[in-house]
Amino acid sequence: RIERLRRLLDAEGLFDPRLKRPIPFLPGTIGLITGRASAAEHDITAVAGSRWPAVRFAVRNTVVQGPNAVPQIVEALRALDADPDVDVIVLARGGGSVEDLLPFSDETLCREIVRCTTPIVTAIGHEPDNPLCDLVADLRAATPTDAAKRIVPDSAVEQTMVADLRRRGARALRNWVNREQHNLSQLRSRPVLARPLDAVHARAEEITARRLPPAAKSRDFWQANPNASGTCQRDCRRWDQQRRWRAATR
């Protein structure tokens, strides 16, 4: 009967991996459906609390075997799925015989898991156990303890990772600053930036030389008049101002 139901649900596409909803990285509230005062409840709450102390639980205790199990589990599923504070729902039960785990292969329960909008994690029995609800759930955990580890991140590991990322980020920033300082030093060492007025002075001297009379361009003139450069420059500037004034008054 279970094998026929498996083929039916598979033919309808309920096992399709594309239907799996992602499990939140850090759920604020975990919905937990399990037996009252069960080892599964203790394992999940203890392990999850040790990994992330701020995690909260919304626990719904139900019968987990026998003819009343499916109606109670379905009712708890609907209640937790309707709760906006619940980020993920865990359906957990400890190990048992094949007959004890039959409610978790019920067609009604499997279809209800598919209809839920909240991600569902199943942790039924032990590793060899494989009820049908494991196939339609969004995540199957081998044991209740494994479910707690896969749902809740380890705060110590996350803090170590954050510290490592901060160190790597600081090192990358320092390397970038050093590289940019080196590039800037190279740019500043170039003659055009180290002595930016040299080109202007050279051009000014060239223009001055072109405006001097032919006699002033000879070497004998400069040797006889070592201070003539400044005088000639002043004369050239005065002549240029007069030329501009005449042009403006025409």
Side-chain angles (χ1 to χ4, degrees), residues 10-11 13 46 54 75 134 136 175 189 213 218 239:
D10 189 18
E75 182 182 358
D134 284 348
V136 296
N175 291 339
S189 64
S218 65
W239 176 84

Side-chain angles (χ1 to χ4, degrees), residues 27-32 58 60 79-89 118-119:
T29 300
I30 299 175
L32 177 58
R60 298 292 185 274
L80 292 175
D81 187 45
D83 189 345
D85 294 331
V86 175
D87 298 317
V88 63
I89 300 173
T118 307

Side-chain angles (χ1 to χ4, degrees), residues 27-44:
T29 300
I30 299 175
L32 177 58
I33 302 174
T34 188
R36 185 179 302 277
S38 63
E41 179 181 353
H42 174 269
D43 292 345
I44 291 177

Side-chain angles (χ1 to χ4, degrees), residues 25 153-169:
F25 169 71
D154 190 337
S155 60
V157 174
E158 297 302 322
Q159 289 175 352
T160 301
M161 185 182 302
V162 169
D164 181 62
L165 290 174
R166 292 180 63 182
R167 286 193 298 269
R168 291 166 57 185

Side-chain angles (χ1 to χ4, degrees), residues 40-98:
E41 179 181 353
H42 174 269
D43 292 345
I44 291 177
T45 55
V47 172
S50 64
R51 292 170 64 85
W52 198 275
V55 69
R56 300 185 301 274
F57 285 92
V59 181
R60 298 292 185 274
N61 295 123
T62 67
V63 176
V64 292
Q65 66 183 51
N68 296 326
V70 172
Q72 292 188 21
I73 295 174
V74 168
E75 182 182 358
L77 268 176
R78 291 173 178 171
L80 292 175
D81 187 45
D83 189 345
D85 294 331
V86 175
D87 298 317
V88 63
I89 300 173
V90 180
L91 182 57
R93 187 200 191 284
S97 64
V98 176

